[in-house]
Amino acid sequence: MKDILIGGLKEMGLTPPEGAVDKLCQYAQLLLEQNQVMNLTAITDPTDVARLHFLDSAAILTWQDPKTGRSGLQGKSAVDVGTGAGFPGMVLKILEPSLSLTLVDSLGKRVTWLEKVCEELSLDGVRCFHGRAEELALEKDFRDGFDVAVSRAVASFPLLCELCLPYVRPGGVFLAMKSVESTAETDGGAEAVKRLGGKALPYFDYPIPGADVTHRLVPVEKVAPTPKGLPRSWGKIKKTPL
Ligand code: SAH
């Protein structure tokens, strides 16, 4: 696993900080151990964990903001909505320790496990919240409060926008992790993006080193504060997408 990570990160043009690769290996071990007693991941082969969880998550750090021409999350605040076993959030924090990270998931058991992992890996500056994304986003500290929101494998794009964009401060960005087959799905979210104060930015397709797949980041810039009344309850989000 270590070699795959070192080689893969290098191929992606990323230089991990001292000790980060060892931390990722330790995280993988904790994940696979706990996965025996709790449903955390369907991917259990260590090579696949390295590529499809870790390198995939790390790709966020290679995205270049067209406004600034810069990539990376140095010194930024980010929320990972529906983080599950910590993807992509935990990987980003390990590779960019200056990131101030908030993890949100509606499944309490996963959040409790993530808190323990943060302790074991001595990660500072990570807050873990058990709750529904659309409810937490109504709270003052969360609403329009983050530089970046990220999310992978949580909901279809229009629904995901309502769960995630409310967290982003104007000027910040929401990065949705999607497949390259998601074009129709993301096109269908144009109205949601607009209503939530967002503006679509060009897709970023990236290959995952060593895996025969290309994945996609769908970036949305936040250009205006979240309008009153949004996000709605999950029932409404699902029944009548924006
Ligand atoms: N992002 C992780 C997990 C994906 S599974 C990964 O890519 O591996 C989807 C996760 O989203 C689950 O852990 C589920 O509990 C959480 N989730 C789904 N809807 C949510 C909501 N409305 N608010 C918070 N968490 C949610």
Side-chain angles (χ1 to χ4, degrees), residues 142-154:
F142 291 85
R143 194 175 183 80
D144 296 328
F146 294 83
D147 297 321
V148 180
V150 291
S151 190
R152 188 182 79 160
V154 173

Side-chain angles (χ1 to χ4, degrees), residues 16-28:
E18 176 106 36
V21 173
D22 287 328
K23 275 196 187 178
L24 287 175
C25 292
Q26 204 186 337
Y27 177 30

Side-chain angles (χ1 to χ4, degrees), residues 40 53 80-88 104-107 110 131-134 151-154 163 234:
L40 287 172
H53 280 326
D80 182 3
V81 174
T83 188
F87 304 114
V104 175
D105 203 280
S106 53
L107 212 65
R110 291 188 178 149
R132 296 208 53 97
E134 66 278 16
S151 190
R152 188 182 79 160
V154 173
L163 294 181
W234 179 241

